[in-house]
């Protein structure tokens, strides 16, 4: 079979993937992975809300009251008062006129990109954008031009070089999922204004994490109201699952009427929706989780950099420890595993060739002793001089 040859080729290149089951993630950052107790450093549960008793309780109560499933798409039988309440809350949180909930962040990106732009339009997309943006661009039928990662000069060159389209949409992650760096939003806003372009921002990793009140990248930069379309997920800091889009009332009405991923898919289950609502309340009222997370992330970034590792990010809970080849990242992941740290290798096509890495993500429930343990593990691995990191890479 053709796929068996392809699987063999993936194994040959060190790119073969397999699943590991994470049974329980405790509220102290420990997890059972394939039956073994480990420190979890690979979860997007940045604020620990997936284990928060208030979120779990809200979810149970809604399941008991409304049922296990939503029973239909939002425009038929799937819509309920709790979907409406969540959308109202998300709009309030994101300080927009309205919001719409979709079943995943992936579908939220699909919904926007296949609805807002089409033939005769132009999309300018950052080279580091998430796969769901890449797929949405492909499906949109708009001309898609990739600009170099976070490079405003290249973005401007591409804006100048591609004129005459009906609409131009600049699309960027707010926080890039694999590097953990933040998009140069002030420059993007400036260019969009000068060239008459719309801005769409995927704030999956910034929602709940960046900004004084956790509203995301635009709050971080003091640019609330300057991004036309803000997308987010309910599956990372919000701790459950689902996606959403926040923006003007007319944008949200348009998506409700036209976006196929919204129209043709069963609505999120009541338990998920109520859990997300409870989580957004906690995000808005407990800023201390965010502050802890930021302090720990900065500390770990500085320590790993000073050990000689090439580390991306530094301002968010996502740190990329660059290894180089896929095998090197896999080796480092195995070494970390021996130290009881769960941090899988990230390899192409998720990241560009030559930048295979360990992606470490922090959660507010990590303790100082967990961070110290990670630092000493990296120190020991470096001292043993395994081949897990390409030493020819520039330092820090
Ligand atoms: N955008 C970004 C930047 C992401 O990292 C992800 C998930 N990894 C998504 C969108 C998709 O979100 P979801 O997992 O909710 O489908």
């Amino acid at each position: 079979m053709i796929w068996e040859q392809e699987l063999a080729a993936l194994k040959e290149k060190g790119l073969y993937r397999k699943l590991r089951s994470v049974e329980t993630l405790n509220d102290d950052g420990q997890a059972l992975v394939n039956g073994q107790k480990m420190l979890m450093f690979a979860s997007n549960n940045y604020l620990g809300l997936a284990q928060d008793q208030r979120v779990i309780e809200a979810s149970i109560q809604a399941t008991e009251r409304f049922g296990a499933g939503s029973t239909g798409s939002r425009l038929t039988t799937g819509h309920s008062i709790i979907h409406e309440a969540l959308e109202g809350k998300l709009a309030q949180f994101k300080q927009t006129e309205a919001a719409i909930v979709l079943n995943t962040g992936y579908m939220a990106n699909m919904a926007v990109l296949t609805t807002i732009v089409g033939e005769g339009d132009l999309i300018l997309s950052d080279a580091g954008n998430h796969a769901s943006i890449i797929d949405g661009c492909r499906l949109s039928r708009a001309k898609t031009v990739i600009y170099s990662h976070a490079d405003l000069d290249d973005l401007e060159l591409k804006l100048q070089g591609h004129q005459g389209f009906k609409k131009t949409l600049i699309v960027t992650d707010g926080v890039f999922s694999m590097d953990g760096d933040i998009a140069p939003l002030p420059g993007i806003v400036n260019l969009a204004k000068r060239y008459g372009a719309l801005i769409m921002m995927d704030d999956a990793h910034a929602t709940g994490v960046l900004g004084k009140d956790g509203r995301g990248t635009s709050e971080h930069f003091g640019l609330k109201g300057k991004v036309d379309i803000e997308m987010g997920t309910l599956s990372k800091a919000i701790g459950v699952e689902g996606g959403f889009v926040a923006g003007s009332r007319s944008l949200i009405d348009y998506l409700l009427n036209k976006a196929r991923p919204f129209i043709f898919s069963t609505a999120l289950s009541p338990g998920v929706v109520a859990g997300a609502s409870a989580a957004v309340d906690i995000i808005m009222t407990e800023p201390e989780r965010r502050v802890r997370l930021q302090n720990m992330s900065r500390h770990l970034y500085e320590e790993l950099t000073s050990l000689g590792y090439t580390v991306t990010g530094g301002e968010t809970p996502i740190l990329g420890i660059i290894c180089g080849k896929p095998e090197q990242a896999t080796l480092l992941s195995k070494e970390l595993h021996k130290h009881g740290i769960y941090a899988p290798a990230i390899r192409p096509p998720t990241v560009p060739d030559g930048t295979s890495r360990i992606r470490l993500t922090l959660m507010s429930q990590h303790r100082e002793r967990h961070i110290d343990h990670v630092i000493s593990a990296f120190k020991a691995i470096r001292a043993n001089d395994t081949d897990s990191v390409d030493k020819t890479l520039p330092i820090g």
Side-chain angles (χ1 to χ4, degrees):
M1 289 298 175
I2 183 69
W3 52 80
E4 286 165 0
Q5 287 160 23
E6 300 227 350
L7 280 174
L10 285 177
K11 282 186 184 156
E12 179 84 359
K13 290 185 209 142
L15 296 176
Y16 181 74
R17 293 157 198 245
K18 56 180 192 271
L19 294 168
R20 271 168 285 198
S21 64
V22 179
E23 287 156 48
T24 46
L25 176 59
N26 296 330
D27 56 11
D28 64 351
Q30 313 227 29
L32 266 191
V33 182
N34 280 353
Q36 192 185 335
K37 201 166 170 197
M38 313 225 36
L39 267 181
M40 172 55 77
F41 272 88
S43 167
N44 297 318
N45 179 27
Y46 300 121
L47 301 176
L49 296 181
Q51 281 73 40
D52 191 282
Q53 216 41 53
R54 294 161 291 181
V55 175
I56 294 171
E57 201 47 50
S59 178
I60 292 171
Q61 279 180 17
T63 304
E64 280 173 354
R65 180 165 166 211
F66 296 95
S70 70
T71 79
S73 74
R74 292 284 298 285
L75 289 165
T76 56
T77 52
H79 179 71
S80 74
I81 47 170
I82 52 173
H83 291 89
E84 208 161 299
L86 174 60
E87 289 175 341
K89 196 164 284 180
L90 287 167
Q92 184 201 352
F93 173 48
K94 282 283 178 176
Q95 297 179 324
T96 55
E97 283 175 11
I100 188 168
V101 168
L102 290 107
N103 290 2
T104 63
Y106 190 102
M107 284 168 78
N109 277 335
M110 288 287 160
V112 172
L113 290 162
T114 58
T115 308
I116 300 298
V117 280
E119 252 174 73
D121 293 326
L122 173 70
I123 302 175
L124 289 161
S125 178
D126 187 293
N129 279 343
H130 188 256
S132 54
I133 294 182
I134 298 171
D135 294 353
C137 290
R138 286 181 183 148
L139 221 64
S140 74
R141 300 210 180 102
K143 177 168 177 65
T144 302
V145 175
I146 310 296
Y147 63 91
S148 309
H149 175 53
D151 184 339
L152 292 170
D153 293 336
D154 193 42
L155 173 57
E156 181 155 23
L157 269 181
K158 305 241 149 100
L159 279 162
Q160 284 167 350
H162 296 86
Q163 309 258 341
F165 289 86
K166 285 191 281 181
K167 266 189 259 96
T168 299
L169 178 72
I170 302 172
V171 56
T172 182
D173 282 0
V175 167
F176 289 89
S177 55
M178 293 299 137
D179 285 340
D181 54 339
I182 305 175
L185 188 62
I188 293 176
V189 168
N190 190 306
L191 285 174
K193 199 165 163 199
R194 282 180 32 222
Y195 289 87
L198 292 166
I199 303 173
M200 170 184 177
M201 188 166 64
D202 174 337
D203 236 11
H205 294 278
T207 301
V209 169
L210 282 192
K212 186 173 79 48
D213 297 319
R215 298 184 209 279
T217 308
S218 47
E219 187 191 20
H220 172 80
F221 285 113
L223 289 170
K224 272 259 134 245
K226 303 287 182 204
V227 173
D228 305 284
I229 306 165
E230 282 204 33
M231 169 273 175
T233 63
L234 307 175
S235 56
K236 304 194 193 297
I238 294 178
V240 284
E241 68 185 43
F244 68 91
V245 183
S248 66
R249 165 61 56 201
S250 58
L251 167 75
I252 302 308
D253 276 353
Y254 187 56
L255 292 173
L256 186 145
N257 277 279
K258 301 285 277 188
R260 295 170 67 86
F262 177 80
I263 299 170
F264 296 109
S265 192
T266 298
L268 282 176
S269 301
V272 169
V273 175
S277 252
V280 177
D281 284 338
I282 297 171
I283 288 176
M284 290 199 273
T285 50
E286 296 185 3
E288 58 277 12
R289 289 169 184 267
R290 233 172 341 272
V291 174
R292 257 190 77 68
L293 186 63
Q294 274 156 9
N295 291 342
M296 283 189 301
S297 306
R298 187 74 213 161
H299 174 61
L300 184 55
Y301 171 83
E302 280 164 6
E303 290 292 324
L304 294 182
T305 305
S306 72
L307 285 176
Y309 288 97
T310 300
V311 189
T312 63
E315 289 185 272
T316 72
I318 303 171
L319 306 182
I321 292 80
I322 306 294
C323 301
K325 297 196 189 96
E327 302 83 349
Q328 290 172 307
T330 308
L331 187 58
L332 182 52
S333 173
K334 282 187 182 148
E335 296 284 336
L336 289 167
H337 201 278
K338 287 185 204 154
H339 289 264
I341 297 163
Y342 185 67
I346 309 286
R347 299 161 289 173
T350 311
V351 291
D353 280 336
T355 71
S356 286
R357 67 194 63 190
I358 295 298
R359 175 179 182 264
L360 287 181
T361 50
L362 284 80
M363 302 182 284
S364 63
Q365 69 267 42
H366 282 134
R367 300 288 126 208
E368 272 68 28
R369 65 175 191 283
H370 298 149
I371 305 297
D372 289 346
H373 181 73
V374 173
I375 296 166
S376 25
F378 271 96
K379 198 185 263 176
I381 293 166
R382 188 107 188 149
N384 284 341
D385 204 32
T386 60
D387 292 329
S388 57
V389 175
D390 184 347
K391 306 286 189 319
T392 61
L393 286 166
I395 299 291

